[in-house]
């Protein structure tokens, strides 16, 4: 692999790539604000490099990322038992509650346990249940836009992007909407565990959040066992089969995962998408003129600035990657989903917002929602929320403009804006 130096346009100060070795601080402020020049340099140099900060092989090429996501020789964990469960016995005591949740999370399981739980969730998370949410999503979006009235400045993240998916997912799961603020706080503290370079204070806060989250859900789950309703928790219970019963810890882990994943990424993507569209110069009225056009525009925002940039896999056996790279069992690969979405071998003019791109059938598949058995089960809901939410926003606020320079949160691989100040005039 050839040397890449910091003379390339826009590269972070901490970036250095030489002989297949990548040096890059994921907390580098310039990288957090704009990681795409670093991704482009990595792809130009072959798309694969050992990134010591992450502790694994960074993979940026679209063809490799897409292939590894579906390759069963890679897993989210390296299971040491026949059930495909993780071994967290070596984790510190101050993280016991957090890893109790993780032990039942689909993201930390492999077959056969993953197969059983995913099948139960798929049965409960059917497409018609998602489609039935459309009127509710519209009503929530309109109510939030109504609240803009009289405000001299609107922070689209706090006033729209955050409450919309939170209210939708709490309604879907079947927990009280009044608990939204607590759920947000717990979710933010838990998700902070996945940030590179986390501190012990972050760990302690995440563990406490896991304890409180589980304590909140236990009585709600018990109530629904006795009086089921039209919600996902009740549907999960109804989907149980004799050879695949959910125990309560597994059910709590699934619900926590759905609540966290069901809003964190969507919050970020709403903000990222609005920023992209407003900066692009495209007419939102045209982009959202009909459902097909709107869906294509949403896909392009998911390609160009997605909310999740890193997803890890581990080799389950000795594997030879193209280019002569050999992985041994247990070796980590850091799949750079957002880099793959800007690979010029997959997408022409990859840095440009081209809203009609996904109207063409030959367009490559996005990596934004992962792939294979761990493909995001909430992708249809996220796309529906984005389409309806943005259509209502731009229809009712046709003169929306950015009022202050946006900044991304210091949380690189969950890539989203900390604030998006907009004006309706």
């Amino acid at each position: 692999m050839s040397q890449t130096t910091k003379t390339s346009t826009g590269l972070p100060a901490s970036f250095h790539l030489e002989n297949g070795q990548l040096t890059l601080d994921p907390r580098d402020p310039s990288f957090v604000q704009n990681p795409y020049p670093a991704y482009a340099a990595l792809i130009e140099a072959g798309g694969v490099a050992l990134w010591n900060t992450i502790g694994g092989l960074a993979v940026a090429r679209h063809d490799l990322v897409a292939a590894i996501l579906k390759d069963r020789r890679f897993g989210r964990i390296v299971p040491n038992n026949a059930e495909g469960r993780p071994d967290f016995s070596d984790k510190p005591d101050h993280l016991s509650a957090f890893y109790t949740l993780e032990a039942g999370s689909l993201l930390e399981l492999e077959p056969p346990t993953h197969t059983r739980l995913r099948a139960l969730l798929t049965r409960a998370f059917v497409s018609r249940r998602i489609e039935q949410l459309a009127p509710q999503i519209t009503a929530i979006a309109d109510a939030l836009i109504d609240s803009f009235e009289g405000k001299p400045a609107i922070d689209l993240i706090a006033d729209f992007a955050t409450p919309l998916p939170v209210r939708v997912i709490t309604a879907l799961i079947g927990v009280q909407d009044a608990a939204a603020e607590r759920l947000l706080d717990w979710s933010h503290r838990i998700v902070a565990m996945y940030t590179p370079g986390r501190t012990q204070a972050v760990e302690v806060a995440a563990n406490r959040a896991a304890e409180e989250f589980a304590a909140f859900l236990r009585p709600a789950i018990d109530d629904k066992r006795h009086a089921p309703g039209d919600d996902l928790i009740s549907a999960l219970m109804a989907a149980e089969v004799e050879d695949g019963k959910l125990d309560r810890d597994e059910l709590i882990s699934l619900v926590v995962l759905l609540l966290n994943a069901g809003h964190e990424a969507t919050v970020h993507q709403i903000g990222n998408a609005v920023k992209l569209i407003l900066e692009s110069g495209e007419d939102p009225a045209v982009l959202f003129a009909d459902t097909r056009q709107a869906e294509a525009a949403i896909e392009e925002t998911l390609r160009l600035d997605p909310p999740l940039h890193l997803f890890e896999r581990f080799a389950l056996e000795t594997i030879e990657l193209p280019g002569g790279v050999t992985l041994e069992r247990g070796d980590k690969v850091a799949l750079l989903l957002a880099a793959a979405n800007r690979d010029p071998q997959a997408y022409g003019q990859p840095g440009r917002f081209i809203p009609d791109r996904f109207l063409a059938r030959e367009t490559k598949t996005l990596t934004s929602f992962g792939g294979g058995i761990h493909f995001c089960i909430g992708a249809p809901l996220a796309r529906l929320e984005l389409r309806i939410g943005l259509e209502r926003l731009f229809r009712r606020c046709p003169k929306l403009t950015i009022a202050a320079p946006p900044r991304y949160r210091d949380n690189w691989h969950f890539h989203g804006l900390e604030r998006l100040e907009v004006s309706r005039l």
Side-chain angles (χ1 to χ4, degrees), residues 140 144 156-168 177 184 267:
I140 293 170
L144 292 171
L156 202 75
I157 304 303
D159 296 339
F160 187 78
T162 298
L164 174 62
V166 170
R167 292 184 188 179
V168 172
D177 191 48
L184 270 175
V267 169

Side-chain angles (χ1 to χ4, degrees), residues 173-175 219-229 231 233-234 237:
I173 295 292
V175 295
I221 289 170
D222 290 342
D223 288 345
K224 291 181 188 302
R225 287 197 185 279
H226 296 102
D231 55 72
I233 293 178
S234 300
M237 295 175 182

Side-chain angles (χ1 to χ4, degrees), residues 138-322:
T138 301
I140 293 170
D142 279 336
L144 292 171
I145 296 166
D146 288 342
S147 72
F148 295 173
E149 198 65 39
K151 290 186 177 180
I154 302 161
D155 175 9
L156 202 75
I157 304 303
D159 296 339
F160 187 78
T162 298
L164 174 62
V166 170
R167 292 184 188 179
V168 172
I169 197 67
T170 53
L172 177 65
I173 295 292
V175 295
Q176 297 174 354
D177 191 48
E181 285 193 19
R182 281 186 292 164
L183 296 173
L184 270 175
D185 176 54
W186 293 330
S187 179
H188 290 333
R189 285 192 274 158
I190 289 171
V191 167
M193 281 289 290
Y194 309 116
T195 303
R198 71 188 188 221
T199 64
Q200 183 161 343
V202 168
E203 294 181 346
V204 170
N207 195 70
R208 181 62 177 164
E211 289 178 336
E212 293 171 356
F213 212 152
F216 168 79
L217 287 173
R218 286 188 192 103
I221 289 170
D222 290 342
D223 288 345
K224 291 181 188 302
R225 287 197 185 279
H226 296 102
D230 185 20
D231 55 72
L232 199 61
I233 293 178
S234 300
L236 277 168
M237 295 175 182
E240 291 175 353
V241 293
E242 288 304 318
D243 59 347
K245 285 285 187 181
L246 280 168
D247 64 39
R248 192 167 67 165
D249 284 344
E250 289 176 335
L251 182 53
I252 288 172
S253 291
L254 283 178
V255 173
V256 169
L257 174 65
L258 287 171
L259 283 165
N260 288 349
H263 83 273
E264 283 280 354
T266 309
V267 169
H268 299 330
Q269 190 56 35
I270 290 172
N272 295 358
V274 172
K275 173 181 177 288
L276 273 174
I277 291 168
L278 293 181
E279 290 178 341
S280 73
E282 296 283 343
D283 184 354
V286 174
L287 296 182
F288 293 89
D290 60 63
T291 298
R292 185 166 178 263
Q293 184 70 51
E295 289 174 346
I298 293 299
E299 291 302 288
E300 181 68 343
T301 68
L302 284 162
R303 182 193 70 82
L304 202 55
D305 202 21
L308 182 61
H309 281 213
L310 171 70
F311 206 58
E312 295 177 350
R313 289 285 196 275
F314 293 88
L316 302 182
E317 59 186 72
T318 301
I319 300 169
E320 293 282 343
L321 292 180

Side-chain angles (χ1 to χ4, degrees), residues 130-142 145 160 164 168 270 288 291 294-295 298 380-396:
I130 303 306
E131 291 161 3
Q132 288 169 355
L133 288 170
Q136 191 167 12
I137 296 170
T138 301
I140 293 170
D142 279 336
I145 296 166
F160 187 78
L164 174 62
V168 172
I270 290 172
F288 293 89
T291 298
E295 289 174 346
I298 293 299
L381 175 59
R383 286 182 164 117
L384 184 65
E385 289 177 298
L386 285 162
R387 179 175 63 78
I388 294 176
L390 297 192
E391 187 275 331
R392 298 307 300 157
L393 179 69
F394 287 122
R395 177 174 295 185
R396 296 191 55 194

